[in-house]
């Protein structure tokens, strides 16, 4: 399974040299916040949300689904799957690569622009 992780450009070199590190992530859905520890990964680059000022990279890594299924954060309202995976497990699958993503790809698919 191809998984994606957003990071700052200056942090990417550390990830390549030393591997991912566990982070504490607090998810707040407006009620009680839920705390996760690990590396935040998504199965779809649609979650790619670069900062307007730049300086972000989207990293990709291949990890078998059966190795990470227990770390999935289940959200019934989203199609994108999200995982909080221990860094030691993510690092065991090798260093990530930079993913080239066009956030506007497919935006105009299916729209008739002839009359515009």
């Amino acid at each position: 399974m191809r998984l994606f992780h957003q990071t700052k450009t200056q942090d990417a070199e550390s990830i390549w040299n030393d591997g991912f590190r566990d982070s504490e992530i607090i998810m707040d859905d407006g009620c009680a916040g839920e705390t996760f520890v690990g590396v935040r990964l998504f199965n779809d680059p649609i979650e790619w949300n670069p900062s307007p000022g730049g300086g972000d990279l989207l990293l990709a890594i291949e990890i078998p689904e059966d190795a990470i299924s227990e770390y999935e954060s289940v959200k019934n309202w989203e199609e994108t799957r999200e995982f909080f995976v221990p860094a030691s497990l993510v690092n065991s699958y090798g260093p990530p690569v930079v993913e080239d993503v066009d956030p506007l790809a497919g935006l105009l698919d299916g729209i008739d622009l002839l009359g515009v």
Side-chain angles (χ1 to χ4, degrees), residues 3-23:
L3 297 164
F4 305 93
H5 174 79
Q6 181 176 341
T7 190
K8 295 288 182 194
T9 303
Q10 65 264 23
D11 296 334
E13 187 172 346
S14 173
I15 291 171
W16 288 315
N17 292 334
D18 304 321
F20 286 99
R21 290 178 291 171
D22 287 323
S23 297

Side-chain angles (χ1 to χ4, degrees), residues 1-3 60-64 93:
M1 171 180 241
R2 191 166 186 82
L3 297 164
I61 190 163
E62 295 282 341
I63 302 176
Y93 287 93

Side-chain angles (χ1 to χ4, degrees), residues 58-77:
L58 185 65
L59 303 178
I61 190 163
E62 295 282 341
I63 302 176
E65 186 171 358
D66 61 339
I68 59 164
S69 60
E70 70 183 276
Y71 303 106
E72 184 170 3
S73 171
V74 179
K75 296 179 186 175
N76 295 328
W77 65 88

Side-chain angles (χ1 to χ4, degrees), residues 10-66:
Q10 65 264 23
D11 296 334
E13 187 172 346
S14 173
I15 291 171
W16 288 315
N17 292 334
D18 304 321
F20 286 99
R21 290 178 291 171
D22 287 323
S23 297
E24 185 174 288
I25 301 147
I26 300 173
M27 304 298 290
D28 188 2
D29 60 2
C31 299
E34 194 171 355
T35 302
F36 296 93
V37 176
V39 178
R40 189 176 190 188
L41 301 170
F42 297 94
N43 74 322
D44 190 332
I46 195 72
E47 291 296 326
W48 170 240
N49 188 16
S51 302
D56 292 329
L57 284 178
L58 185 65
L59 303 178
I61 190 163
E62 295 282 341
I63 302 176
E65 186 171 358
D66 61 339

